């Protein structure tokens, strides 16, 4: 959709007047480093050129008016600045309200309301962070339109605070960070323990990043997500009885093997094992990416998936089918689930000249096994939020 079309939709929805300002923020795909961002580990995500557009116009009163072109059946949703709280019936606007809540917590008040129209082309619930994209585009629009003194990193933290303090999902920082600080054609190698980061060029030559969508709506994801987080916390507590470590990412492989018996609960032990090994894999994978060794990178992706499936238990039949079928195809260097799992997407590194055949073979096998089709996108890596 073009900026002009979006502006027309804005005027149709909210009436004539001043031009709204138009902003964009991407989604994200994580190449490796899954479920380590609340354990102090490294992650390696990329921002996507798929994302969310937000058009914002300030009002002079304290009213808030929202419309999403993705949910026209909901009509215009309304609120006021003086009543910012989570409510089911606020639907998608809870992510916008959450940003206002997070700003308020930091002592930043807007003083007047606004109209916001959004449109996104990330499939919802696909594990490509449509919600973080909405949070970041909202933050970027508010920052520009109200002249707020907020850095990109703070936008990411406000987004995470929205999830943790308003929505109730105890997520890490990876999604919002990679979207708010994304860079074209680069992955963000982020240390979630310190928030220091580096950009790693994604130069794939004759290969591409292929995203494979299970098209399965995630339902259990939120509750299981918080459960995984507390399992990691219990495992850490057990290790801390003996080891002076601040998080699971600080435990190296040898120390873990020598001390894992301290985690008596078998499930917690398996979760910690995933985290400790995934942290090491991600550091290793980043080295391989820098060295242009995509074969080794692909193998680490495979190992990551197997660990998420067997030790961390966040995969599902749909994701496992996509990954297993992709791995059978010539030209696939590695494949794994990406994001929170339980549905959503998998990601693979594929030879360009094999992509069509991979989509055909995986598509057919998936539909035969699961009963409905999956979808594919060749990823293109975008930058941080911007005004259009
Ligand atoms: C979701 C969360 C992230 C991260 C991933 C799993 O996307 O929002 O913080 O934990 O799951 O790696």
């Amino acid at each position: 959709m073009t900026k002009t079309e979006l502006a027309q939709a804005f005027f149709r929805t909210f009436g004539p007047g001043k031009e709204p300002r138009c902003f964009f923020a991407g989604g994200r795909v994580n190449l490796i480093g899954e479920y380590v961002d609340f354990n102090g580990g490294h992650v390696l995500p990329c921002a996507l050129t798929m994302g969310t557009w937000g058009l914002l116009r300030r009002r002079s009163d304290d009213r808030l008016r929202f419309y999403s072109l993705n949910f026209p059946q909901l009509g215009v949703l309304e609120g006021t600045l003086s009543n910012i709280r989570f409510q089911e019936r606020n639907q998608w606007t809870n992510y916008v309200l959450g940003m206002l809540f997070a700003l308020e917590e930091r002592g930043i008040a807007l003083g007047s309301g606004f109209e916001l129209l959004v449109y996104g082309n990330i499939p919802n619930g696909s594990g490509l962070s449509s919600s973080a994209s909405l949070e970041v585009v909202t933050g970027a629009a508010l920052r520009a339109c109200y002249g707020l003194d907020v850095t990109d990193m703070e936008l990411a933290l406000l987004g995470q605070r929205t999830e943790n303090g308003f929505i109730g999902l105890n997520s890490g920082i990876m999604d919002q960070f990679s979207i708010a600080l994304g860079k074209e054609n680069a992955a963000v190698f982020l240390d979630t323990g310190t928030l220091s980061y580096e950009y790693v060029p994604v130069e794939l030559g004759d290969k591409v990043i292929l995203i494979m969508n299970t098209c399965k709506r995630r339902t259990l994801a939120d509750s299981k997500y918080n459960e995984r987080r507390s399992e990691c916390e219990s495992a850490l507590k057990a290790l801390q009885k003996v080891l002076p470590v601040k998080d699971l990412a600080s435990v190296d492989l040898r120390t873990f093997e020598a001390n894992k018996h301290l985690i008596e609960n078998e499930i917690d032990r398996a979760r910690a094992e995933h985290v400790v090994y995934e942290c090491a894999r991600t550091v290793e994978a980043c080295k391989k990416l820098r060295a242009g060794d995509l074969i080794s990178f692909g193998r680490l992706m495979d190992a990551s998936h197997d660990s998420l499936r067997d030790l961390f238990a966040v995969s599902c039949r749909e994701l496992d089918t996509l990954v297993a079928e992709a791995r059978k195809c010539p030209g696939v260097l590695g494949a794994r689930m990406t994001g929170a799992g339980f549905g959503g997407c998998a990601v693979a590194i594929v030879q360009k000249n094999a992509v069509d055949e991979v989509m055909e073979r995986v598509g057919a096998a998936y539909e035969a096994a699961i009963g409905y089709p999956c979808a594919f996108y060749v990823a293109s890596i975008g930058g941080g939020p911007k005004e259009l």
Side-chain angles (χ1 to χ4, degrees):
M1 221 181 257
T2 65
K3 186 180 162 186
T4 316
E5 286 167 333
L6 290 168
Q8 282 163 353
F10 185 97
F11 288 125
R12 262 200 316 275
T13 309
F14 298 120
K18 226 180 140 215
E19 281 273 330
R21 287 171 73 176
C22 178
F23 300 83
F24 173 81
R28 70 96 188 87
V29 61
N30 187 23
L31 299 181
I32 193 162
E34 217 66 81
Y35 277 99
V36 299
D37 66 340
F38 49 77
N39 290 299
H42 281 88
V43 292
L44 195 60
C46 308
L48 294 171
T49 54
M50 275 194 271
T52 313
W53 286 259
L55 282 76
L56 192 143
R57 180 169 74 183
R58 286 175 63 160
R59 296 177 59 92
S60 47
D61 56 16
D62 80 336
R63 285 177 70 194
L64 300 167
R65 307 192 72 215
F66 306 111
Y67 186 78
S68 168
L69 291 168
N70 297 86
F71 301 105
Q73 72 281 10
L74 297 176
V76 174
L77 294 164
E78 310 238 6
T80 58
L81 274 183
S82 52
N83 184 24
I84 305 293
R85 58 197 172 96
F86 179 91
Q87 281 177 293
E88 283 296 338
R89 66 181 170 90
N90 292 339
Q91 306 270 348
W92 65 271
T93 71
N94 277 314
Y95 293 98
V96 178
L97 297 172
M99 289 299 279
L100 298 174
F101 150 86
L103 282 167
E104 241 168 54
E105 252 187 2
R106 292 192 168 211
I108 302 176
L110 299 183
S112 65
F114 57 85
E115 283 140 1
L116 177 70
L117 175 132
V118 307
Y119 165 71
N121 62 1
I122 310 170
N124 289 318
S126 62
L128 302 177
S129 286
S130 54
S131 33
S133 178
L134 174 58
E135 287 153 10
V136 174
V137 82
T138 299
L142 293 172
R143 171 170 70 183
C145 296
Y146 289 84
L148 309 180
D149 187 14
V150 174
T151 62
D152 286 336
M153 195 174 308
E154 282 164 345
L155 279 188
L157 290 165
L158 289 165
Q160 186 194 18
R161 186 65 198 135
T162 297
E163 298 287 346
N164 299 173
F166 201 76
I167 306 290
L169 185 76
N170 295 327
S171 61
I173 189 66
M174 170 171 78
D175 303 348
Q176 292 81 5
F177 198 99
S178 52
I179 291 169
L181 287 105
K183 188 171 161 184
E184 270 174 41
N185 300 319
V188 187
F189 183 53
L190 166 69
D191 178 340
T192 62
T194 61
L195 295 190
S196 64
Y197 64 101
E198 284 170 46
Y199 293 113
V200 184
V202 179
E203 283 155 4
L204 300 178
D206 60 352
K207 296 163 191 77
V208 294
I209 298 172
L210 182 67
I211 298 175
M212 308 182 281
N213 188 350
T214 60
C215 298
K216 178 192 184 190
R217 290 288 306 193
R218 294 178 305 176
T219 40
L220 280 173
D222 293 7
S223 55
K224 290 280 180 199
Y225 188 97
N226 289 349
E227 186 180 299
R228 290 297 172 278
R229 185 161 183 163
S230 26
E231 287 160 354
C232 290
E233 280 159 9
S234 312
L236 176 65
K237 272 201 197 107
L239 292 175
Q240 281 172 331
K241 285 193 186 129
V242 173
L243 300 174
V245 285
K246 64 173 194 320
D247 51 31
L248 288 177
S250 321
V251 184
D252 62 55
L253 301 187
R254 199 188 288 177
T255 311
F256 181 74
E257 289 304 332
N259 291 280
K260 65 181 183 192
H261 62 274
L262 296 170
I263 313 169
E264 277 169 29
N265 182 306
E266 216 178 299
I267 290 177
D268 296 350
R269 199 186 318 129
R271 306 302 188 238
E273 184 168 331
H274 163 75
V275 171
V276 169
Y277 279 80
E278 181 79 353
C279 288
R281 264 193 296 270
T282 305
V283 173
E284 188 63 18
C286 186
K287 283 189 197 146
K288 300 297 180 197
L289 181 61
R290 284 188 204 278
D293 179 359
L294 295 173
I295 303 235
S296 304
F297 190 90
R299 285 200 197 107
L300 291 161
M301 290 175 80
D302 287 347
S304 167
H305 181 83
D306 298 351
S307 173
L308 288 158
R309 180 193 59 211
D310 302 337
L311 296 174
F312 214 72
V314 289
S315 189
C316 58
R317 199 163 73 88
E318 293 79 357
L319 283 167
D320 291 341
T321 303
L322 283 181
V323 165
E325 293 301 330
R327 286 182 191 170
K328 285 185 201 160
C329 298
V332 173
L333 283 74
R336 59 182 289 276
M337 54 157 274
T338 183
F342 302 106
C345 288
V347 58
I349 307 282
V350 183
Q351 294 278 0
K352 255 184 209 159
N353 58 13
V355 169
D356 287 343
E357 191 167 343
V358 170
M359 295 198 297
E360 214 177 291
R361 283 173 63 167
V362 174
Y366 183 86
E367 191 163 353
I370 304 296
Y372 56 82
C374 57
F376 299 93
Y377 329 97
V378 171
S380 101
I381 305 180
K386 54 180 182 233
E387 179 161 12
L388 302 170

